[in-house]
Structure formats: structure tokens, C-alpha cells
Amino acid sequence: MTWETVIGLEVHVQLATASKLFSGSSTRFGAEPNTQANIYDLAMPGTLPVLNREALRMAIKFGLAIDAEIAMTSVFDRKNYFYPDLPKGYQTSQLDFPTVGKGSLTVTLEDGSSKTIGITRAHMEEDAGKSLHEDFHGQTGIDLNRAGTPLLEIVSEPEIRSADEAVAYLKKLHSLVRYLGISDADMSKGNMRCDANVSIRQAGDTEFGTRTEIKNINSFRFVEKAIHVEVERQIDILEDGGRIVQETRLYDSDRNETRSMRSKEVANDYRYFPEPDLLPITIDEAYIEAVRATLPELPDAKRERFMSEYKLSEYDALVLAAERETADFYEAVVAECGDAKLSANWVSVDLQAYLNQEEIDIDDSPVSPVQLGGLIKKIIDGTLSSKTAKTAFALMLAGEGDADTVINNNDLAQNSDMEANTNIVVSVLKNHPDQVEQYKSGNTKVISFFVGQVMKETKGKANPQQVNEILKDELSK
Amino acid sequence: MFELGIADLARGLEAGDFSSEELTSAYLARIKEKDSVLNSYITCCEEPALQQAKAADAARASGKATGLSGVPIAHKDIFCTDGIRTTCGSRMLETFIAPYNATVVEKFNQAGMVTLGKTNMDEFAMGSSNETSYFGAVHNPWDLERVPGGSSGGSAAAVAAHLAPGATATDTGGSIRQPAAFCGLTGLKPTYGRVSRWGMIAFASSLDQAGTMTRNAEDSALMLNIMAGHDAKDSTSIDIATEDYTANLDKPLDGLRIGIPKEHFAEGLKPEVEQKIREALTEFEKLGATIREISLPNNGLSVPAYYVIAPAEASANLSRYDGVRYGYRCDDPKDLEDMYKRSRSEGFGAEVKRRIMVGTYALSAGYYDAYYIKAQKIRRLIKNDFDKAFQEVDLIMGPTSPHTAFKIGAQNNDPVTMYLEDIYTIAVNLAGLPGISIPAGLVENLPVGLHIVGKSFAEAQLLNVAHKFQQQTDWHTHTPGI
């Protein structure tokens, strides 16, 4: 039997505002517990919410970037439930009239094909605090620093058909919100979180199967794994003649399995109703246009430009344009050295390999774009070979200085002295008459033997390109 | 001195007839002496009041006193006061001390006024008789066996018994106007959004509005001058300029068109009360007004609509009282659920729990459309009724309550009878309009209130009309003689 997977994702992105959605408290991550919770965040009696206009602007910015309908009037609602880290006993969210309506996101898949995934809506809501179960001798501590932090919940249509597509969608969202400057979207810090609605059906079916919701998956890799194990679980059940129960499940990354949350925790009637402490948000076209004017160049447009302006392959352009920081870094390298292709290779291969290995962001790269451009210039002018350039780059990454410094200190410059190199070539040829004979009888491959010999004589410093040219010259005499 | 209202006290302070400290001390002593029988105050603020009084006297001595500086007032215990406990009439907040002032309190403090204490009220403002207070029922100074009305019963009893020259109050469905009527006072509920709700403990957010409880319209205007205005901390407060509410108090009423809703003179209205209201209307005719009957056809739906919307909002507003961060927490909870259940069961009184349950039910899946949405539609119809009426008339008048103050305990057996107390006042909250109740006579030595409703932001007009009436009559000067 062939099963088709149907996935819809609900992604919570923490908006990068300085203060909370309805209060002036700071949203900074990692402060001492409860130092960033004011009387509103504590839900003290008589306190009232005031909308952070910056959060609204960011939500609209996102909406414009996914080409969505922006609501001229949107409404906050109260979502009622009791939990110790939810101080008001309700979360202020948007139910029927979200700020951002239908839009879409086009993702590029592994095989190079692209797919457009519909986005149902995106709405603003406030985050809850945190319950701390350690260090309280059997009691629970509450930290309300995060309570009231603005979130944008982005809900996709159930148009995702595999774990790979889900990851591609998430990565694209991640890239987009960072481009827009509206979120750090750091999954490890919880400022991008993902719930996945997963169901399966037989290929060709038009009806959806019963879905389960997998909560709080906190990395791209876990999204992929969680969906895989959940799909397998559902297939096993259906193929054994069972039935899928609509429920909320938690992904346990240690055991790589999903498991049911107690029904008590999820059987909530949230009793939504319009938040009477806030008036509906109304905006006009002029406001939307003002926000639109602040949109940066987005990943797709940047990729196109990289292909036309720098003549990059689609693949290189995709890789370099995926993250705004990488793209900015790349363009700064090109500006310094003038060689778009070499710059692309160095940024996307050599530098990226180092960053991956060290697990650091490109913004924290020990080699600046100007320094990397300087290194590439030394390749272009022949001072470095591709091999010595890698040596120089390793030294630069180790903090030994810029290209000039490491070349001088480590005697890395290759010898491009025409006369000296010609003399060496002539002597090598003289010492290997048999090989010269082979070359002349048509075995041109033997030229690499000569190059090797010259390099041996010069301890690898001779400019290999130049040596090649001299060899061809001399051998044709 | 106790016979003087706010305006007179301000004049006396300015003239040097007495100091604020003398005045405040006298009031504090009178509260100590008389309030044991009335129970109008939950908390008396002796020390801070005297400090405020001394500061006001010092300001006056250095020529910095303005307006009402040094005049003492009382605040309904629904307004948060920095450093002074705020109970909202509930066991839940019996020991709660806010680290902030309500905007209303802050404005009176800034104006140099003195806070005598925090007045008793129905628990979380839920009630029409002040009998639901955790701190005990308040007694009506006109007859100690009777209720003062509610929920601002403490403010009304205190001002009527001369335990304060004026007080703040709040009105969600009639909670200023009905106690004002029962205690022979002038009670103003401004337009929704005119006065900030910041720091005023929420009952029903879309209906709650702060106002004044005073002896006459002039005092009310003086207090409103301080209270009114936009507040960036309250998103529902309205950014329309305020005015000097005393400026037009004496404006002649020639040509004023008064509408009398026939629905307010129907079955249920006590004939003696109706007679007093009719007599009051005659006074307005003498002042140059014309009177015509109008209809508010959906008035009968206002109580049912209100008792869906207000409890629905309250059910969420009161969720924060969970025993986690402040307020009452039960002893030795065995787990989280036990803590929630017992803290809320023990911390809230019966009427509050009833309304939380009603509201929770009205918002539940499957009932939301039938109750909450329908009630909102009725609310719109009620607003339309008023809009239509105000095309023909300038003001609407009628009785504030169908009868005079009833006996303590008389209506405790049937919540619905109690809910019908506010039949003439509740529609005004649903429509967000300003309303005032002024004394219009006595029936068996109990006060009768005349209810006047205006268009949005017509507070100055309401006060003008009330003031003209009070110059023509002396009902507002009658006192219970406590």
C-alpha cells in the first residue's frame, strides 16, 4: 500500500522587539528570573495592556514578505486556560481576525525543484512564562521574564508532503524572518518553535486522514525525525487495522518517539472571546506602504540577482542567498577582491566548512570579509597557489593576521620569477631525457611529472601555472 | 463643617477658615465614631491622610495650593492605592497591597486631595446592595436596616452620612447611580472611556467606568475635572479633549428637549417613586424644558444581555486570582489543581462564583453563539435605540430605581430579582453613555433618584441640568441626620 503524508506546520517565531507585546518590560534573553516582569506581566489587579506598535509593524512586514493579505482591522482575543506560568489565566492572541491572512512561501527541495506552500494566516500572541521544577524542594518556581514576549504564530496549509519538505519550509521561514530582521529565530533558544500536524492517507485519496499534533519540536533535525517516526507509527496502526486517535503528542528526542500527552492536558475549551481591554487594531494603506518601503531584498530576489549580477550557478546563488548574513558577507568579499566566482567558492566551501566545524555564526567569523577578499586578491595576483592559499587561510582563521602578514611570516609567497623558474625547468628537462622523449612522442601527461620535479626543486614555491606555461614552451622548442 | 460639600470646603480652605489637617482630623474622628454602625469603610487611612493634609497645608502656605488641594475624599476599594491595601471587597484580596496607584487615585493625589480611606463595596463590584462584600454589609444611613445600594454602597453611605465630603465610585451596570439614588446623592457615571480604568480592578472591562459620588452636581463637576482625560495606559480610554465641567453649570435650560422612555414608567415602578419623578419633571418644565415620551424598545433585553456579557468578561478577568502570585492561597495545597480549586472556592464569595460560572458557561464551546454573540447583537440594538432617541431629544430622564432602598436580606434568596434592580441603568452601560442620578424627593423618608442620560461625552450637559435642578429644589440638601 502506498501512503501519502500530509503535514501542516504551526511555527511560533519570537518577534525581536525590545519590549513585550503589551508591556514595557524588556524581552532580553537570559536575565535573572522575574527581573523582567512588571506589574502587567504579573497580572496585578487593575493593570491593562497597551499594544507594542513595533510588534504590529513586524507582523505586517512578515505578511508583506509572503505576499499575504494584511487585515485593515484585526482583533485580539482572550484564550482562557489556567496554568501557573500564564499569569492572567488567559493568553491574549488573535482568533477570528488575525493581522496576516493568506500568503505563501516557495521552497527549493533537495532535487532542485521548487514548491509553493500556502500559509493560512499569521497572528500575534503573547508567550507564557516558564515553570522551573528544580531547586525548589518539590515545589515549582515561576519565571515570568518570558511572559508577554511577542510571538508571531505562522500557520501553514496542510500542503507539506514529507519531512524533507517540512524542513525546507522551516529553513525558508527561518531565513525569511532573519532577513526581515523581525526575529533571531534561534530554535535552541526557543525563539522559533514548531508544532507539526501529521496525518497519512492512501495515495490518491482526497480526504485527509485523522491527524495528530506533535508539540514543541526544537530543531530542524528533530522536526525531520519526529515526522518520520510519527508517520511510521501511523502506518503501523492503519496497516494493523487500527484507528488513529486525534490527539496531541510530544516528541521525545532521547528515545526518538512521539507519545501521547495526557488527555487532561489537552481537553481544553479555551472559551475565546474578543479582548475587551484592547480596541480592534485598524491600519490604512499608507501605513502598509510605509512598512513595505522598509522591506529588505528578500532571499528569492537576492538569489536571482546573484545569478545575473555575479554569474553564479543557481546552486551557489541559493546557498549564498539563504541567510542574510552569509549574503552580506559574500558581497563584502566580492567588493574587496572583485572575483565573484572565487569569492563564492571561498565563502560557501572553505569558510562554511570551518564555521560548521566550530559551530559559529558567520557574523562571528575570525576572518572578516575584507581579510578574505585580501586573501583572494593574493590568489588572483599569483602570490598564492590554491594550495598555499588554504595554508594561509588556516593561519588567518587561527588569528595569525591578514593575508600579507601570514604570507610574510610563513614564507608562503610562490615564486613567479620567470627567469629563475625557466632555469629550473631547463635543468629538470636536461636531467630527464627519457621523459622528454615520451612527451615528444605524444604522451603529454608526463608534463605533470615535470611539474612535480620543479616543485620538488623549489620546495613547492614555484608558481605552478607559470611552470606549466614554461614547460610547454620549452618542450615545444 | 460636615455639612459642607467639596466646593464649599475648597472655598473654606482658601479663605483660611480651617486647615486641611483640622478638616481631615475631624473627618477621621467622625469615621471612628460613626462608621461602626454603617460599615462604609473597609480601610481607614489615618496616618497617610494626615500626611497628605499637612502637605496640602504646606502647599497652601507657600501659595502652591490649587483647586481642591487639601479637601479629603474617600476612594472605593476597587481603586489600587500604592502602599494601602486594596481588597475589592473580597477575601481574595484581603491582604493585597498594590505597589501602584490607579490613574484616578494618582490624579487626586496630584491635585493635593486627601485620601480618608477605602470604601466598602460588593465583592468585585458584583451586586446591587453591598451585601456581597466579604467585609460585611453596609447600612443605609437613612435607615440602618436597609441597604445603601451597590456596588458602590460604601462610597454612597459614607458621603450620605458625612463621613466623607465626596467619594470615587465605579459603575458597571448601575453601581454609582443606584446607590446614589438610595442614599440621596448625586452619582455620575461618565461616558465609557472618559476616565482611565488603569489600576481600577476589572469586573467587566467593556462596561466598567469610574465616576463620582457627591452631595451635589457642582462637587461632581469639580471631581470630574480632575478624573477625566485620556490615559495612554488604558487603551480603551478615549483621546478627546476634556472641558471645564463647572463652566456651564448655570446655563439656562430653555428649549431643552427631555425624553421620557415609556418602558421606564411601566409595570414594576412603585407609584410613590413615579410620583416624585413626575414632580421633578415638572420642575424641568418650569426651567424651560419640553418633555415628550419616547421609546427604548429593546430596554427589556438589557438585563439578560448584560448578565451574559458582564459575567463572560468577569470570568476571564478574575482568572488571575489563582493563588500563585498574590492574594488568597489555601492552606497546604496537595497539588496544583487542589491549590486552584480551594484558593478560588475559599477566596471568592457566592455571588462572584455564580457569575464566574455563568460567564464560563456563556463562553463555552457550543453556547458561545447562542449567548455571547447574541448578547453582543442585543447590545448593538440597545445602542441604536439610544441613537434614535437622541435624534429627537437632548436628554433622557426617568427613575434610577423602581423603588427606594430595600431591607438588608430582603432580596437574598433570588439572584434574578436582585439583577432586575438595575433595569433602568444597565442599558446605559451597554451603550457606553453617561448617566447621572440626582435626589428627586423622599418617600417614607427614603430618597428617590432621578436618572438622567445624555449623549456620549455630554457630561457637562448632565451636570448643568442637574445643577439647575438643584438650584430650583432642595432635595439634595436633605440628610439622614446621622
Side-chain angles (χ1 to χ4, degrees), chain B residues 55-344:
Chain B
D57 287 334
R60 194 168 296 278
S62 61
K64 286 180 196 149
T66 53
L68 304 186
S69 193
V71 176
I73 52 168
H75 291 303
K76 185 176 181 179
D77 208 17
I78 198 169
F79 294 100
C80 288
T81 40
D82 192 350
I84 297 165
R85 77 169 174 162
T86 302
T87 69
C88 217
S90 182
R91 182 185 195 189
M92 186 59 86
L93 295 176
E94 189 176 3
T95 59
F96 175 71
I97 297 176
Y100 49 93
N101 278 326
T103 297
V104 163
V105 171
E106 189 63 32
K107 284 184 161 194
F108 283 117
N109 286 350
Q110 291 298 325
M113 295 187 79
V114 174
T115 302
L116 291 170
K118 309 290 295 289
T119 56
N120 206 339
M121 55 182 286
D122 278 301
E123 186 179 8
F124 283 100
M126 297 176 187
S128 305
S129 65
N130 216 119
E131 291 168 287
T132 71
S133 170
Y134 174 68
F135 300 91
V138 176
H139 299 260
N140 190 323
W142 291 84
D143 177 348
L144 294 177
E145 288 181 11
R146 291 178 188 270
V147 304
S151 66
S152 309
S155 289
V159 176
H162 294 179
L163 303 188
T168 55
T170 63
D171 190 315
T172 305
S175 282
I176 292 175
R177 292 159 289 159
Q178 185 249 24
F182 281 12
C183 292
L185 298 172
T186 299
L188 172 72
K189 179 204 99 77
T191 310
Y192 181 81
R194 180 70 293 175
V195 177
S196 170
R197 293 189 296 117
W198 170 264
M200 185 178 114
I201 298 178
F203 160 17
S205 309
S206 74
L207 300 160
D208 296 342
Q209 181 60 209
T212 60
M213 192 72 78
T214 57
R215 294 189 196 156
N216 57 56
E218 186 188 8
D219 287 359
S220 183
L222 287 167
M223 281 181 73
L224 188 61
N225 274 350
I226 294 169
M227 289 170 93
H230 178 247
D231 181 3
K233 292 194 284 190
D234 174 3
S235 304
T236 62
S237 86
I238 295 171
D239 198 359
I240 291 178
T242 56
E243 50 196 300
D244 177 356
Y245 295 99
T246 61
N248 290 317
L249 287 176
D250 290 316
K251 205 173 137 191
L253 303 187
D254 296 314
L256 183 76
R257 299 170 303 165
I258 298 170
I260 314 286
K262 61 179 183 201
E263 293 81 4
H264 290 193
F265 291 85
E267 201 192 331
L269 176 60
K270 210 172 163 188
E272 299 90 327
V273 171
E274 176 169 357
Q275 196 197 326
K276 291 293 164 196
I277 299 301
R278 299 271 181 206
E279 285 169 17
L281 292 169
T282 311
E283 295 296 331
F284 282 105
E285 283 180 316
K286 287 187 209 158
L287 287 163
T290 56
I291 297 185
R292 70 198 298 184
E293 188 174 87
I294 58 161
S295 176
L296 299 171
N298 293 293
N299 186 74
L301 297 173
S302 62
V303 171
Y306 175 89
Y307 278 98
V308 170
I309 293 168
E313 292 179 8
S315 72
N317 282 333
L318 271 61
S319 292
R320 65 188 59 201
Y321 308 108
D322 56 7
V324 174
R325 298 166 312 286
Y326 54 80
Y328 181 82
R329 182 191 284 186
C330 67
D331 288 334
D332 301 320
K334 64 174 194 288
D335 57 23
L336 178 64
E337 197 171 310
D338 185 48
M339 183 176 89
Y340 281 155
K341 280 187 177 164
R342 280 172 46 221
S343 296
R344 288 169 66 79

